[in-house]
Amino acid sequence: MDFQKILSTPPPRLATWVVLFLFVVAITFSWAGPGFFQFINESTSNLMDIFGPLYLILGFLAVVIGIILSIHPISKKKLGEGKPQYGLWSWIAMLYSTGMGSGLLLRAVQEPVFFLHNPPRVSGHSAEVFALEYTFFHWGLTPWAFYGLTAILVGWFYYRGKKSFLFSELLLGYSFKNKWGGDVINFLIIVTTFFGALASIGLGSRQLLASGQFWAGPTWDAKWAFIPLAFLCIAATFSALLGIKQGIKRLSNLNIAGGILLLAFAWIQGPILDTLRIFSQSLGYYLLEWLPMSLNLGQWSVSNDFLKNWTVFYWAFWLAWAPFTGIFIARISQGRSIREVLLGTLFIPSVGTFLWFSIFGNHAFDLIANQSLTAKDLESVYRSIFMFFGALPFSKITQFLSSFFLATFLITSIDSAIFVLSMYLDSGKREPKKRFRFFWGIAFFVLTALVLWNGSEQLLLSISTILILSSLPFAVVFLPLLFFLFKNLNSTSHDNS
């Protein structure tokens, strides 16, 4: 290898921006104090007040457009030629692991129990049904509509034109290569993806730390968090180096198998028939009331504070993940029709998520009613799943398995982020060079280590807040980009007729 040539060659402008950005982030995480975190949180709150209605409209329209497009004849068009590159099981497993992943374990019992005791508004439904209905609302059709439509947006132009996966080249009709405009667009995608993955790694490391305290006791304090962090980043980098077929796909299959195992155990140990009842009722009310809930209308409206802190926050969070998740879904969907991708992303993961929250949530309700646990036991996003399994038989085994699968879910979120970010540094290539995957694996470890070293819970929360801020540019252009997609699909249909 000619190292002299490499050192004498100036790096691409985008790579230079990324390195400078990571350096600034590292300095900020090392020295920022409470005043900085307060400024970020207040800025986000003010932006939510201004753009909150936009996020509600986008969430509503994304689901409507996704359903309409999926049943339109034009949706028979395929993303690329040939048979699907991955089987249905592996494809769904990778969707789940990338799109939701560890969040399902983090919130499995915590969020339903929170809504049980803190309902967002007055409702005529039972408290249990209403708690699950709102959990369905935040984790159901809307996020998957964002993901699915973005995947079609990216996949259609890539597989038709054989260009790159860069947003600047795929979505605007001409190449921004070596131009400032394209670098700005791609840089914003990188920033959003980076903060999304960083927030997941930080939260996951904290939950794995809480898991360790079950085994080692209070002596397993924050200084030990670097051990699970190092494990996560090394494993994710190794998986990304192996690639999608050998690394990400196999881990995703393991995730789904493990998730089904934990789900079946929780269901068998809980009120089986009552869970089916509450699942069907919650799902029915969710579908019936989805439209007014989405637009916050009439008797279904909630307070502005709840709307901003929950619904708008979630919609902004899912939109922030949509470019990265959409690119990854497009990457694994070659050979599938637009209809398959949209129906697959909209309904299969949503129904699985509804079952997940129904089984864990209703069992948690039952444990609280029987005084086996209290609501306070399940209020922590880090410890709730371990407290839940601690109240059931074979607690040590299930707590260990939940820790293990939390780690594997996190790894598949991180390795797919590493893979997509590497594609961006490598000019949008389908198979990015391994040196870029190494770079991002090291960057995630160093930056997350600084977060944990800072020791501030406020810093971890501020990372999620920054992620919301970074989603705003994509939210503004989301509908115009969909219009551009439909225009291209329609013109292609006329060309073929």
Side-chain angles (χ1 to χ4, degrees):
M1 182 178 292
D2 190 347
F3 288 101
Q4 185 175 359
K5 181 179 179 181
I6 293 174
L7 293 174
S8 63
T9 303
R13 184 166 50 225
L14 180 60
T16 303
W17 290 8
V18 168
V19 171
L20 290 174
F21 159 72
L22 294 177
F23 178 76
V24 171
V25 170
I27 296 298
T28 303
F29 285 177
S30 300
W31 298 104
F36 171 76
F37 306 139
Q38 183 178 356
F39 169 75
I40 291 295
N41 294 333
E42 288 178 355
S43 299
T44 303
S45 180
N46 292 334
L47 284 173
M48 290 291 188
D49 285 331
I50 298 171
F51 291 98
L54 170 65
Y55 282 107
L56 294 184
I57 292 170
L58 288 178
F60 169 74
L61 289 178
V63 176
V64 172
I65 291 171
I67 293 174
I68 291 174
L69 180 58
S70 66
I71 61 178
H72 194 281
I74 207 170
S75 65
K76 294 179 181 179
K77 294 180 178 295
K78 295 176 66 174
L79 303 181
E81 301 299 326
K83 295 181 179 179
Q85 191 175 10
Y86 300 98
L88 185 61
W89 170 270
S90 295
W91 185 68
I92 293 172
M94 287 189 281
L95 291 183
Y96 243 118
S97 296
T98 304
M100 296 292 182
S102 60
L104 292 174
L105 278 167
L106 283 165
R107 299 287 188 176
V109 293
Q110 185 269 338
E111 189 162 327
V113 169
F114 177 85
F115 285 137
L116 180 71
H117 295 279
N118 302 274
R121 58 176 169 82
V122 177
S123 172
H125 317 324
S126 70
E128 293 80 7
V129 167
F130 189 52
L132 285 174
E133 180 188 2
Y134 247 91
T135 306
F136 291 1
F137 179 53
H138 289 148
W139 290 79
L141 294 174
T142 305
W144 290 105
F146 288 147
Y147 294 164
L149 287 172
T150 306
I152 299 301
L153 191 64
V154 174
W156 172 252
F157 290 105
Y158 173 78
Y159 291 112
R160 184 167 180 259
K162 295 296 181 183
K163 298 180 181 179
S164 76
F165 278 100
L166 295 178
F167 260 76
S168 60
E169 296 188 28
L170 290 171
L171 306 180
L172 299 179
Y174 58 93
S175 175
F176 265 129
K177 192 174 182 180
N178 298 323
K179 295 182 180 179
W180 283 93
D183 283 346
V184 170
I185 292 172
N186 296 326
F187 179 74
L188 289 174
I189 298 296
I190 288 173
V191 169
T192 301
T193 300
F194 172 79
F195 278 120
L198 189 67
S200 292
I201 301 170
L203 289 169
S205 298
R206 288 293 305 274
Q207 194 178 23
L208 287 176
L209 177 65
S211 170
Q213 290 172 343
F214 275 94
W215 314 107
T219 56
W220 184 269
D221 57 20
K223 67 177 180 291
W224 297 104
F226 293 98
I227 295 177
L229 171 63
F231 166 74
L232 289 175
C233 290
I234 291 172
T237 304
F238 182 69
S239 176
L241 288 170
L242 289 175
I244 294 180
K245 286 185 178 181
Q246 300 300 318
I248 297 173
K249 186 185 81 169
R250 290 180 177 179
L251 268 178
S252 298
N253 288 338
L254 177 64
N255 289 343
I256 296 302
I260 291 174
L261 178 66
L262 292 175
L263 190 69
F265 177 80
W267 192 10
I268 292 170
Q269 293 294 324
I272 297 176
L273 295 179
D274 189 59
T275 296
L276 290 175
R277 177 190 62 81
I278 201 171
F279 164 76
S280 60
Q281 289 183 1
S282 302
L283 178 58
Y285 284 123
Y286 163 67
L287 295 175
L288 186 65
E289 300 177 350
W290 173 81
L291 190 155
M293 288 170 67
S294 295
L295 298 177
N296 201 41
L297 300 175
Q299 69 184 65
W300 294 273
S301 63
V302 297
S303 69
N304 186 60
D305 284 342
F306 178 87
L307 198 67
K308 185 167 61 176
N309 294 330
W310 284 91
T311 304
V312 173
F313 179 90
Y314 264 124
W315 284 191
F317 190 92
W318 301 131
L319 264 175
W321 272 73
F324 142 60
T325 309
I327 291 170
F328 185 78
I329 294 173
R331 172 65 178 78
I332 64 173
S333 296
Q334 181 176 354
R336 296 192 181 276
S337 68
I338 293 174
R339 179 170 297 167
E340 284 180 287
V341 174
L342 284 175
L343 293 179
T345 53
L346 265 175
F347 297 110
I348 297 177
S350 294
V351 172
T353 300
F354 299 155
L355 279 170
W356 178 271
F357 281 114
S358 295
I359 291 171
F360 279 102
N362 193 47
H363 197 168
F365 302 158
D366 189 62
L367 291 172
I368 293 172
N370 295 333
Q371 299 183 340
S372 300
L373 289 172
T374 66
K376 188 173 180 60
D377 292 329
L378 303 176
E379 68 180 7
S380 169
V381 72
Y382 305 120
R383 299 172 59 90
S384 58
I385 193 68
F386 306 119
M387 296 296 292
F388 171 81
F389 281 121
L392 302 182
F394 312 108
S395 59
K396 294 301 181 184
I397 296 174
T398 52
Q399 285 169 345
F400 170 77
L401 288 175
S402 60
S403 301
F404 176 78
F405 288 116
L406 168 67
T408 59
F409 267 113
L410 277 166
I411 290 167
T412 35
S413 292
I414 302 166
D415 61 12
S416 50
I418 289 173
F419 198 88
V420 170
L421 287 168
S422 299
M423 290 166 64
Y424 264 75
L425 284 190
D426 201 11
S427 302
K429 292 179 181 176
R430 184 183 177 90
E431 293 290 338
K433 294 182 178 67
K434 291 185 177 180
R435 65 172 179 264
F436 294 115
R437 306 182 210 185
F438 269 119
F439 169 79
W440 282 113
I442 294 170
F444 279 128
F445 174 76
V446 171
L447 271 297
T448 312
L450 285 174
V451 173
L452 298 176
W453 175 74
N454 181 289
S456 172
E457 184 69 23
Q458 193 175 13
L459 175 56
L460 196 56
L461 295 174
S462 292
I463 293 172
S464 296
T465 302
I466 295 170
L467 173 65
I468 304 309
L469 290 175
S470 67
S471 76
L472 189 55
F474 187 70
V476 171
V477 300
F478 185 66
L479 287 180
L481 290 175
L482 290 181
F483 174 77
F484 177 63
L485 169 67
F486 296 148
K487 184 178 179 181
N488 192 278
L489 284 171
N490 189 54
S491 64
T492 305
S493 178
H494 289 322
D495 291 341
N496 294 336
S497 60

